[in-house]
Amino acid sequence: MDAATPHEEGATGERDAGENAGAARRWRPSAAALGAFLVAAAITAVLSVTSLILYKHNERRLLNLRAREVSLVLSAAVTSVQTPVASGAALADSTAGDLRRFRTFMAPFVGTGRQFASISLWRLGAEPRPLVVLGATPQSLPQLGPTIQRLARRSDTLNLTGMLERAKPSLGFAYRAGASSNYLVYAENPLPANRRSKLESNSAFSDLNYVIYLGRSQRNRDLLLSSVKTLPVHGLQSSRVVPFGSGAFTLVVTPRGSLSGSFFDSVPWITALVGLLVALFAAALTDRLVRGRRRAEQLARRLDQVASETRERYIEQRSIAQTLQHELLPQKLPEMAGLRVNARYVPAQAGGDIGGDWYDIVPLDGDRGLLVIGDVSGHGVQAATTMALVRHATLAYVAEDYRPGVVLAKLSDFVRSRTNDYFATVLCGLISVDEHRVTFASAGHLAPLLLNGEEGRFVKLEPEAPIGFPHGAPLRETTVDVPAAATLVAFTDGLVERRGEVLDEGLERLRSAALAAHMRDAQLLARLAEELTSEDHRDDTALVSVRWQN
């Protein structure tokens, strides 16, 4: 092969240099990539600040919960303190101050390592005097008379008194068994001179600093116990007033560290670091997306075509599903003297799956009938076939015994006896036309709405677990009196449930719409279905109205 000439070698070098320069230009960050980085950085800053705010908010919430827990620990001590003191007062009152029996009964509660350091029995009068003192003698026993006289004014409750100005401060407990009693039991426990105690070892205080005051104030002179050396406390804190007998303690707690844990304390910094990495990744990804834009547009056109074809198939499947669902439901409701019964089924508008909602009105002997409405979990052909199975099983059990609680108990036993992965909610109501009375049993189903003129309320039921879960036999029943010319509307959850919304809002929307409609029977159901079901709701809905004509 001939050697390349200098001119050819120069041309090749220029091409290589041009290609390298072109490659360098291709990897230069685009305006879109730079914008993506700035946006991601801004979002990261917002998330970091937000996570810091949420962390502080969560710390406050946890501190309030911990304060409540500690207050419960203090409240629980009322019984352990009051029981022996009150028992001793009752014993003294019933035995006319028998000192021997008093000593025998109270001795186990007094002494080193026991519940009280000192317990004394006082005879009340113009000048109260101690009859007996068990344990350590209180420092100011001779001067306790006025305090005992003051504490005796409240009977049948545990009275608190603080001896906080003494050289050796203490906390006193007094109890008088009735306003007519001549005796009062006074117990006393010393407080640490530095107000530090072993409460720090309690798990309720393990991660907290605390201050406990006598009464409802936070004055230093009322301080009982504390785990801090300097008062008042600063920073994040929570306070609660804890009732204790006739008095109260004021509890102030502050966290010793992060209550959420060290990880959550570092979340804002972790968010900033991860956000920065995401911003760099987003910039690189944006560059790649810009280069692949044309291919994405072509793919989008193809997807639009596929979506259009899929949409047409969904419309066809939904039409078939609606037809099949209507065939599984009663074609015609029975006529009952004195009642006007109407029903409506609204299929899910999104998707083509068949639902599991159903309803039935079963005439019984005399002027009675049975209302049944239910909802099998899931969608599709399996849900529809399961619905048909449960519906026909219900009708079979109604023929044996039409009491609602018995019917639902048998139905639950039937479903549990089979291998399945579904459950169903069912409402069963025994209607007595002449008596204007309905007896309901609910297996996890929503209560019906009772409309009477300008008033509408949901029937108060005692619902139990859905069908498919263990039940008692029979289920609990609730009997409701129905006013003349009133209308009862039963429904499935598809009418009131919405994503991201609590159920009570949907129920109130239904009640308001029913009262505002001023319609009856079939028109009312049509109006409710129109107002309360949207074009994209994904659950089918069944409604049944029963109106008394007299």
Side-chain angles (χ1 to χ4, degrees):
M1 179 178 294
D2 296 335
T5 64
H7 175 73
E8 291 172 342
E9 291 178 355
T12 301
E14 290 176 0
R15 284 197 302 270
D16 293 339
E19 291 175 357
N20 292 334
R25 285 194 300 269
R26 285 195 299 271
W27 286 104
R28 183 179 300 171
S30 64
L34 182 60
F37 177 79
L38 294 177
V39 169
I43 294 174
T44 298
V46 171
L47 290 177
S48 298
V49 173
T50 302
S51 63
L52 180 60
I53 294 173
L54 291 177
Y55 168 75
K56 291 183 176 180
H57 174 76
N58 190 54
E59 284 290 292
R60 178 168 294 279
R61 181 182 65 84
L62 290 176
L63 183 60
N64 289 333
L65 291 175
R66 299 290 288 108
R68 179 183 178 188
E69 178 185 349
V70 174
S71 67
L72 291 176
V73 172
L74 294 177
S75 298
V78 174
T79 302
S80 63
V81 174
Q82 178 172 317
T83 298
V85 176
S87 300
L91 176 64
D93 189 56
S94 63
T95 61
D98 188 325
L99 300 184
R100 182 183 61 81
R101 296 180 64 180
F102 182 81
R103 286 192 186 94
T104 302
F105 179 78
M106 299 303 296
F109 300 101
V110 185
T112 305
R114 297 182 181 178
Q115 193 164 353
F116 303 106
S118 170
I119 292 182
S120 54
L121 177 64
W122 291 72
R123 184 186 297 278
L124 302 176
E127 294 184 1
R129 59 188 181 85
L131 299 179
V132 63
V133 177
L134 304 180
T137 302
Q139 293 182 57
S140 55
L141 183 63
Q143 293 80 33
L144 270 179
T147 300
I148 295 298
Q149 201 164 26
R150 174 176 55 83
L151 295 175
R153 294 171 186 171
R154 293 181 180 176
S155 59
D156 296 320
T157 187
L158 184 67
N159 295 286
L160 297 179
T161 182
M163 309 296 181
L164 306 181
E165 304 297 331
R166 297 176 178 176
K168 295 181 179 181
S170 62
L171 184 64
F173 311 94
Y175 195 92
R176 180 184 184 188
S180 60
S181 175
N182 295 321
Y183 300 95
L184 179 142
V185 174
Y186 176 76
E188 190 172 285
N189 275 331
L191 296 174
N194 59 1
R195 299 302 198 270
R196 304 292 290 273
S197 76
K198 297 181 180 180
L199 286 175
E200 298 176 60
S201 62
N202 190 299
S203 60
F205 295 82
S206 59
D207 53 355
L208 299 174
N209 285 319
Y210 63 89
V211 184
I212 302 176
Y213 299 92
L214 178 62
R216 299 176 180 271
S217 68
Q218 298 183 25
R219 298 172 299 187
N220 287 346
R221 67 182 185 183
D222 294 327
L223 176 66
L224 290 181
L225 297 172
S226 175
S227 64
V228 296
K229 297 180 179 179
T230 305
L231 294 176
V233 294
H234 299 284
L236 182 63
Q237 58 183 269
S238 177
S239 63
R240 299 179 71 92
V241 175
V242 184
F244 199 96
S246 63
F249 296 131
T250 296
L251 171 70
V252 180
V253 295
T254 62
R256 292 182 177 178
S258 174
L259 297 177
S260 306
S262 57
F263 170 76
F264 291 99
D265 191 14
S266 305
V267 163
W269 299 104
I270 295 175
T271 302
L273 178 60
V274 173
L276 181 60
L277 296 177
V278 170
L280 295 173
F281 176 77
L285 182 61
T286 301
D287 256 355
R288 184 172 182 178
L289 292 176
V290 169
R291 292 193 299 270
R293 182 179 56 187
R294 289 185 180 179
R295 183 179 177 183
E297 290 175 350
Q298 294 174 356
L299 180 60
R301 285 194 293 269
R302 292 180 59 188
L303 290 176
D304 285 341
Q305 182 180 359
V306 173
S308 177
E309 295 173 355
T310 303
R311 189 161 47 249
E312 292 177 359
R313 286 196 298 270
Y314 276 169
I315 293 174
E316 181 180 0
Q317 292 176 5
R318 188 170 60 201
S319 176
I320 296 173
Q322 293 176 8
T323 302
L324 179 57
Q325 180 71 31
H326 281 292
E327 290 299 324
L328 292 173
L329 295 174
Q331 299 301 307
K332 182 179 180 181
L333 293 176
E335 296 183 359
M336 295 183 61
L339 293 181
R340 293 190 63 178
V341 182
N342 287 275
R344 189 176 185 88
Y345 172 75
V346 183
Q349 298 299 315
D353 281 345
I354 306 169
D357 292 22
W358 91 93
Y359 55 83
D360 262 309
I361 296 291
V362 183
L364 303 174
D365 57 306
D367 66 330
R368 290 183 294 183
L370 198 70
L371 163 66
V372 183
I373 186 169
D375 183 5
V376 174
S377 61
H379 292 85
V381 177
Q382 182 179 1
T385 54
T386 301
M387 178 270 284
L389 177 64
V390 174
R391 176 182 170 231
H392 287 94
T394 303
L395 295 177
Y397 291 131
V398 169
E400 297 177 359
D401 188 337
Y402 50 72
R403 290 177 296 172
V406 175
V407 171
L408 294 185
K410 290 182 177 181
L411 183 61
S412 183
D413 291 340
F414 167 74
V415 172
R416 292 182 62 220
S417 66
R418 303 168 58 88
T419 301
N420 58 74
D421 56 356
Y422 68 88
F423 65 91
T425 65
V426 184
L427 175 69
C428 190
L430 178 60
I431 302 171
S432 179
V433 180
D434 292 343
E435 294 180 352
H436 281 258
R437 183 172 295 169
V438 184
T439 299
F440 289 103
S442 172
H445 202 84
L446 296 174
L449 175 64
L450 182 61
L451 301 173
N452 180 26
E454 299 297 327
E455 181 184 359
R457 62 183 178 86
F458 291 95
V459 176
K460 292 184 178 180
L461 301 181
E462 295 185 3
E464 300 200 32
I467 297 299
F469 292 88
H471 290 92
L475 273 69
R476 292 174 294 181
E477 297 180 345
T478 301
T479 300
V480 179
D481 292 325
V482 180
T487 300
L488 192 68
V489 180
F491 54 92
T492 55
D493 56 8
L495 188 66
V496 293
E497 286 188 345
R498 299 289 184 274
R499 287 187 177 182
E501 179 183 88
V502 296
L503 182 60
D504 287 345
E505 295 182 15
L507 293 174
E508 180 58 27
R509 182 169 52 248
L510 167 61
R511 191 182 74 87
S512 300
L515 291 176
H518 296 292
M519 298 177 180
R520 296 179 177 178
D521 309 328
Q523 292 182 347
L524 172 63
L525 298 187
R527 181 67 176 271
L528 294 179
E530 179 181 354
E531 288 191 9
L532 302 182
T533 57
S534 58
E535 294 182 356
D536 62 345
H537 80 278
R538 298 179 176 273
D539 196 4
D540 49 346
T541 301
L543 300 92
V544 179
S545 69
V546 179
R547 180 176 180 269
W548 272 255
Q549 294 181 308
N550 52 20

